[in-house]
């Protein structure tokens, strides 16, 4: 079992991952980040932890950190998009390290770009290492948990997943990407020109589910609608008036065999409670075993993604070298390390 | 991928498994049952299906059926208890067949008898085949689904699982084992002398969860209490008066590190609705990611167990020869067979 890891990226999520990995008994052999405020600092200070033995200094020199350590698992947390993480991931693989990435598109990279996914798979195979993408969404709430619920189903006719969450913890970058604070008209313009993206990862959830169930998806439909607030709402980072946009209701529907088989719906907004909306994860499966599951409040995305990444370390070795998908592995539970 | 299976046991569950396997495109190469009313009959007639091509006749001669087919998967459904299924399972393994059993104790046979589990493992390894136990409970509702929900958890402090179901579909054998129709005093006597057993499988659920989370269970506590009805209740098979026992509230609590870590609670009764109780599966996880999950109504046990068994066929080949546990495998979703 691997006990040495490298953390690549020390933004909000990278720091959560690093703190959890230390709590769980892993040794952090290297920490990579480009932020001048962090470079050269002891990692534990950057993590807000008291100084400790065997601490490493944050470095901006990825090649040096990756070259100094041998056969670790790199936990990579820098961006949502395959195009931005492919090069740093490839560098890790080429240096003989396994990689666990929380980039949303990495949970099923071929759904973002088949060529890049194939190249990463090839590099991993050539170097005898493994590459996995994970997280809460995509990676759990709208795909792996859905698949877990199909175990007692003999036939699945349709799946509907709704994740209603609260964006209040997030800062301006995330809120802008969801159109928070816009007028409904401005929201539609921002969707049209790509400033409002909604959720990143529907394609990956559809692909994970379809691959595991053996579904041949023929097409998908996607909509992004403004969640117009009927009341004033305020989070730490943003205040909106009644009639303004509180967030984005992003939906994707997938079709197979000429009919709808999967509907994913993800309303993301600030303070849904102020407008009478409770947060939850809901999964409804129609078939020979009807299942209606609710988790309320919803699974925490930040803590959950850090946990999913750290939990995966113990299971990665189950897979053959190459690009690994979560559906190839046993359930990635938090395994207590024993001496 | 294996497309040929043998069904060993054609009771209520074995017939459900056989019907689902046919629906799902598998070929049934042999069917074994001792019931004189079934022996010699075409399988499809026993299953209540119209006659079809390539049908097999039910046989009481297990050795002959197992010897005639090569390298199939045997779906075994004859009893809940390891002591009763070990011998027929061993015979299947020795003939070179993989085995999927729905015997409750087979989901973690070492929790019932370590020696027998080790012997079955040895025979499977020697013959290069795999042996797996599965079902809804144990096997899913109170263990594998619990583990699936721990994926976004960095630290699990405590797990509480409550499965509230309705026994109205079951006949006198099952109802007697739950004490339905007794007085509260007679129920306590029946627990004491072993006539009321409650649920079979808590030890297996505890073992599956503990093994996957790396918990060292120190001891368990177990109680069986009468569910005394405040109203008259009637199912197709049994009628009770107010004050009589409607079923058994069976609980098991497991301790690790000197404290309670897992509480399983399974009230099984006829017509809980008549006494104002809704049926459901509920899982509450306490730790750094609090999760409160409800599936209402509860997952259907009969259909679910048949599905779990048939779904497992496609995943068994992922494991090395020997005794396999569900925690070793990818999620056993219902995979659509492709040509």
């Amino acid at each position: 079992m691997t006990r040495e890891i490298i953390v690549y990226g020390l933004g909000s999520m990278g720091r959560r991952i690093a703190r959890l990995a230390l709590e769980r008994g892993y040794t952090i052999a290297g920490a990579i980040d480009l932020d001048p405020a962090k470079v050269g600092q002891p990692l534990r200070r950057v993590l807000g932890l008291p100084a400790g033995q065997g601490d490493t200094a944050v470095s901006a020199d990825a090649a040096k950190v990756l070259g100094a350590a041998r056969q670790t698992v790199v936990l990579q947390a820098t961006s949502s998009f395959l195009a931005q993480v492919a090069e740093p991931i490839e560098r890790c693989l080429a240096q003989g390290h396994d990689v666990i990435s929380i980039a949303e598109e990495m949970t099923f990279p071929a759904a973002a770009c088949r060529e890049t996914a194939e190249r990463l798979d090839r590099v991993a195979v050539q170097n005898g290492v493994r590459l996995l993408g994970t997280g809460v969404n995509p990676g759990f709430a709208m795909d792996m948990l859905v698949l877990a619920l199909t175990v007692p189903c003999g036939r699945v006719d349709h799946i509907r997943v709704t994740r209603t969450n609260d964006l209040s913890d997030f800062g301006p970058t995330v809120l802008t990407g969801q159109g928070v604070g816009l007028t409904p008209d401005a929201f539609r313009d921002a969707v049209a020109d790509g400033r409002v993206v909604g959720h990143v990862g529907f394609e990956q959830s559809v692909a994970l589910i379809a691959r595991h169930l053996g579904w041949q998806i023929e097409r998908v439909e996607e909509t992004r609608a403004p969640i117009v607030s009927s009341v004033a709402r305020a989070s730490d980072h943003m205040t909106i008036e009644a009639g303004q946009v509180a967030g984005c209701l992003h939906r994707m529907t997938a079709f197979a065999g000429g009919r709808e088989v999967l509907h994913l719906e993800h309303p993301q907004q600030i303070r849904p409670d102020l407008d009478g909306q409770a947060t939850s994860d809901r999964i409804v499966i129609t078939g020979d075993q009807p299942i209606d599951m609710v988790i309320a409040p919803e699974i925490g995305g930040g803590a959950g993604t850090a946990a999913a990444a750290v939990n995966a370390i113990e299971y990665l070795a189950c897979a053959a070298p190459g690009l690994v998908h979560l559906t190839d592995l046993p359930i990635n539970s938090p395994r207590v390390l024993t001496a």
Side-chain angles (χ1 to χ4, degrees), chain A residues 97-144:
Chain A
H97 300 290
D98 289 330
V99 175
I100 295 168
S101 173
I102 61 159
E104 281 89 333
E105 291 188 347
M106 270 303 302
T107 56
F108 206 105
C113 175
R114 182 168 296 277
E115 272 185 19
T116 304
E118 288 174 356
R119 190 179 75 244
L120 291 173
D121 180 49
R122 212 160 44 233
V123 175
V125 170
Q126 283 164 353
N127 289 278
V129 292
R130 298 151 195 87
L131 165 61
L132 173 76
T134 191
V136 157
N137 192 24
F140 184 71
M142 303 187 89
D143 38 53
M144 293 304 289

Side-chain angles (χ1 to χ4, degrees), chain A residues 219-249:
Chain A
R219 66 186 173 88
V220 298
E221 287 175 6
E222 188 174 17
T223 60
R224 292 174 186 83
I227 301 170
V228 181
S229 188
S230 67
V231 294
R233 305 189 194 183
S235 77
D236 285 351
H237 304 283
M238 186 92 73
T239 302
I240 64 164
E241 300 304 317
Q244 285 187 317
V245 172
C248 176
L249 169 52

